[in-house]
């Protein structure tokens, strides 16, 4: 069977790609199809995240084994698509390049018979142009809130962190220059 996905960039502008891929291909194959469909160079780390129907992130499936014991952690290559996604569980989140956090919503739109003469994975449709940089994310904050730290509150004033008076010289600390690395 062929899985047909809509892969949507988490951005204000509509940017998405429709991709068809075989059900026994792996998440790593889907990762490569997404990288190619959106024009990335493929040199950055990436992960898929299982999620619920409301796109609430659950378990991470990384491209590379990042565990303490080599081979202990399963990677994208260990998961055929049919083992993770089906008609009931049809959503997954994809993050590419953890410095820039390109985030995509990946939804299984259809499961169909393969078309003769078609090579999979196949880019079926492309809409919208990729922005020059990843959209900024407001992680864990209310978009209308000025409080970056949410419920975090402290009782400290800026002066509590002033270790030195404005006119104090660092040379007065009694440390020789040769002790600094």
């Amino acid at each position: 069977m062929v899985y047909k996905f809509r892969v949507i960039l988490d951005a204000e502008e509509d940017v998405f790609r429709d991709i068809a891929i075989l059900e026994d291909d792996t998440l790593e194959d889907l990762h490569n199809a997404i990288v190619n469909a959106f024009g990335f160079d493929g040199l950055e780390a990436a992960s898929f995240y299982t999620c619920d129907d409301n796109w609430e992130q659950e378990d991470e499936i990384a491209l590379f084994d990042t565990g303490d014991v080599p081979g202990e952690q399963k990677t994208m290559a260990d998961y055929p698509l049919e083992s993770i996604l089906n008609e009931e569980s049809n959503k997954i989140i994809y993050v590419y390049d953890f410095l820039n956090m390109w985030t995509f919503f990946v939804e299984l739109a259809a499961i169909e018979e393969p078309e003769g003469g078609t090579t999979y994975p196949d880019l079926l449709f492309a809409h919208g142009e990729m922005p020059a940089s990843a959209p900024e994310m407001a992680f864990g904050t209310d978009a209308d809130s000025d409080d970056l730290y949410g419920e975090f509150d402290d009782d400290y004033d800026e002066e509590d962190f002033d270790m030195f008076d404005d006119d104090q010289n660092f040379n007065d600390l009694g440390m020789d220059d040769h002790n600094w690395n």
Side-chain angles (χ1 to χ4, degrees):
M1 299 300 287
V2 171
Y3 278 19
K4 292 186 175 180
F5 290 98
R6 174 150 290 172
V7 183
I8 305 167
L9 176 64
D10 186 11
E12 287 185 30
E13 299 294 320
D14 288 338
V15 179
F16 64 87
R17 307 290 185 261
D18 292 344
I19 297 171
I21 188 168
L22 297 173
E23 69 180 340
D24 57 350
D25 282 340
T26 65
L27 283 175
E28 184 176 18
D29 297 320
L30 181 58
H31 152 77
N32 291 329
I34 293 170
V35 164
N36 290 330
F38 284 93
F40 293 120
D41 60 16
L43 300 176
E44 302 298 332
S47 286
F48 282 101
Y49 295 89
T50 59
C51 62
D52 62 17
D53 285 339
N54 295 319
W55 297 103
E56 294 293 324
Q57 180 177 312
E58 295 171 347
D59 299 321
E60 179 181 17
I61 303 169
L63 178 59
F64 304 110
D65 182 352
T66 57
D68 293 335
V69 178
E72 183 178 64
Q73 180 182 8
K74 286 185 157 186
T75 64
M76 290 180 196
D78 298 317
Y79 290 94
L81 295 175
E82 63 191 346
S83 72
I84 297 289
L85 298 157
N86 55 51
E87 291 174 353
E88 289 80 39
S89 179
N90 61 357
K91 296 177 181 176
I92 197 163
I93 298 168
Y94 174 73
V95 177
Y96 176 80
D97 183 359
F98 292 105
L99 291 177
N100 292 302
M101 296 297 289
W102 291 95
T103 304
F104 299 85
F105 299 109
V106 181
E107 186 166 11
L108 177 60
I111 301 173
E112 299 176 354
E113 292 290 328
E115 293 181 22
T118 302
T119 303
Y120 297 100
D122 185 26
L123 178 61
L124 302 173
F125 184 74
H127 176 80
E129 299 214 11
M130 288 292 289
S133 59
E136 290 192 29
M137 309 306 286
F139 295 104
T141 63
D142 181 356
D144 296 328
S145 172
D146 290 333
D147 184 6
L148 176 65
Y149 300 105
E151 294 182 23
F152 179 78
D153 190 17
D154 62 41
D155 295 327
Y156 299 107
D157 294 325
E158 188 175 314
E159 61 198 33
D160 291 330
F161 294 99
D162 258 351
M163 294 176 62
F164 306 103
D165 293 332
D166 290 337
D167 59 346
Q168 185 174 357
N169 188 331
F170 285 98
N171 294 331
D172 295 339
L173 294 175
M175 295 183 204
D176 297 331
D177 287 338
H178 67 276
N179 288 335
W180 291 94
N181 291 331

